[in-house]
Amino acid sequence: MHDRVSGRPSTHAALAFYDDQHPPAGDFLADVLDGFSRTPKQLTPVYFYDAKGSAIFDEITALPEYYVTRTELGILDQIGSELSALAGPGAVVIEPGSGSSVKIRKLLDALSVPAAYVGLDISGEHLESACQEIAADYPDLQVGAICADFTQGLDLKHLTLESGRRIIFFPGSTIGNFEPEGARELLSGFRKAMRPGDAVLIGADRVKNADRLVAAYDDKAGVTARFNLNLIDRINDELGGTIDASALRHKAIWNAEKARIEMHLIAIRDLHFTVSGREFELREGESIHTENSHKFTPESFTSLAKSVGFDVLQAWSDPADLFTLHWLEPAAKA
């Protein structure tokens, strides 16, 4: 995480902090070269979310096949008074991976006089735009935007924040994008950044019918395919790549053994390409593994949370048990 945050006067009553230092391009290049050097080839999904990718993902959330967003929003509508009671007045909401502002607005509207909101995301342009809109609509709220890779841990000591209870808001089942050990490391990083009395409100998608899961990640309109292929466009545009995107096809696969949806780009013919001068090849039928989305049972998520020192104090699901929001607090010391 960047440790330089520049204060800029806001046009609203809220005080806005912005970090103008975007994640270094070298990280993107190093990760792509490393991923393409592996067998099978793989890319990390953190780089999906440039401005264009973030906009395409917003399209995905409105698709009829993609139940995750509307289901989670429905849960938030139902539990607003409970969240207000749990958080108390003057809460400070921190959102790693800040995306669409719809969910955070529902949370802020539910809370009793929230004091501050801080969004963190690797896509600086998308993040700053969203936070400026929140600052405009919530003039009494301290609003911050930090362009950073939250997977490297949360360090908020350099920010001047109100003293209310801090709520780390991590919706959308983003936790499912991480391998099990990575998910533990992420939650452990959250845990280390928390003070006594702080909490995590986190979404997790549920294990369910495989056909429904695959359809959610391979929609009929091809929007998810565009989202997946946008990562190739980024590599070509930003890293000097020569990958022929027309030779790749999006595919979603349910891996029952690992309880996850996998997204792949499958080569329909042999490909030879370069990235920043490095040569690579992809044979017909080979894939680039671009994302995992792990799904959880109540038992598997509770086990994950407990493994890094959290207690699940409350959990809320929709009537069909498609999705669950969990309220986590640091476990009491024995």
Side-chain angles (χ1 to χ4, degrees):
M1 173 177 292
H2 299 292
D3 59 8
R4 296 189 299 276
V5 178
S6 58
R8 287 209 299 256
S10 172
T11 57
H12 312 286
L15 178 64
F17 296 90
Y18 294 97
D19 187 346
D20 295 322
Q21 300 297 319
H22 288 242
D27 291 351
F28 184 23
L29 176 60
D31 287 344
V32 168
L33 295 179
D34 175 67
F36 280 164
S37 299
R38 296 172 181 259
T39 303
K41 290 178 174 56
Q42 61 187 57
L43 295 170
T44 174
V46 70
Y47 298 113
F48 276 136
Y49 298 96
D50 63 341
K52 181 180 177 182
S54 296
I56 298 173
F57 184 75
D58 286 346
E59 290 184 54
I60 291 173
T61 64
L63 292 169
E65 298 97 330
Y66 194 77
Y67 59 85
V68 176
T69 301
R70 63 176 176 270
T71 303
E72 188 174 28
L73 288 171
I75 297 171
L76 286 169
D77 282 335
Q78 295 298 314
I79 66 172
S81 60
E82 294 179 70
L83 293 176
S84 180
L86 284 166
V92 173
V93 180
I94 298 160
E95 188 180 15
S98 177
S100 170
S101 64
V102 177
K103 294 174 189 174
I104 189 58
R105 288 170 184 270
K106 284 191 178 290
L107 178 57
L108 292 173
D109 289 343
L111 297 180
S112 174
V113 197
Y117 167 74
V118 179
L120 301 94
D121 197 74
I122 201 168
S123 175
E125 181 181 348
H126 185 79
L127 170 70
E128 184 166 342
S129 175
C131 287
Q132 284 178 335
E133 290 178 4
I134 290 173
D137 293 340
Y138 296 84
D140 296 324
L141 192 71
Q142 183 186 30
V143 177
I146 304 175
C147 183
D149 182 358
F150 65 86
T151 66
Q152 302 304 307
L154 295 181
D155 180 6
L156 305 173
K157 293 189 295 293
H158 57 289
L159 292 181
T160 303
L161 294 173
E162 299 294 331
S163 59
R165 188 178 203 182
R166 294 182 182 178
I167 311 300
I168 297 175
F169 184 44
F170 201 56
S173 202
T174 305
I175 190 66
N177 294 144
F178 296 85
E179 296 285 352
E181 184 55 35
R184 283 189 287 273
E185 290 177 1
L186 181 74
L187 289 181
S188 180
F190 290 177
R191 175 71 181 83
K192 291 174 183 176
M194 295 168 68
R195 308 163 307 168
D198 292 346
V200 178
L201 179 61
I202 181 171
D205 198 12
R206 299 277 288 267
V207 173
K208 58 183 68 66
N209 178 273
D211 290 341
R212 184 163 196 173
L213 284 167
V214 170
Y217 292 83
D218 194 4
D219 59 279
K220 292 181 180 178
V223 180
T224 311
R226 284 197 288 116
F227 178 70
N228 206 2
L229 286 163
N230 181 62
L231 187 50
I232 301 301
D233 291 341
R234 280 201 71 187
I235 293 169
N236 287 342
D237 292 343
E238 300 177 31
L239 304 179
T242 61
I243 308 168
D244 182 359
S246 69
L248 297 171
R249 293 291 179 269
H250 167 76
K251 187 172 184 179
I253 300 167
W254 170 243
N255 185 328
E257 180 182 357
K258 296 185 176 181
R260 72 189 190 192
I261 283 284
E262 298 176 359
M263 291 209 320
H264 294 261
L265 292 170
I266 310 293
I268 60 173
R269 58 175 173 79
D270 290 350
L271 278 175
H272 299 271
F273 60 91
T274 61
V275 176
S276 192
R278 284 268 300 273
E279 295 186 357
F280 299 96
E281 64 178 18
L282 192 67
R283 295 299 183 185
E284 181 180 353
E286 284 189 283
S287 84
I288 304 170
H289 188 170
T290 57
E291 185 179 50
N292 293 316
S293 184
H294 292 81
K295 310 304 174 183
F296 299 89
T297 64
E299 295 77 16
S300 67
F301 187 85
T302 297
S303 176
L304 169 63
K306 285 185 174 296
S307 73
V308 294
F310 283 113
D311 283 336
V312 181
L313 267 64
Q314 184 64 273
W316 304 270
S317 296
D318 60 289
D321 285 333
L322 299 176
F323 192 91
T324 303
L325 273 167
H326 305 81
W327 183 274
L328 311 182
E329 293 185 12
K333 294 182 179 179

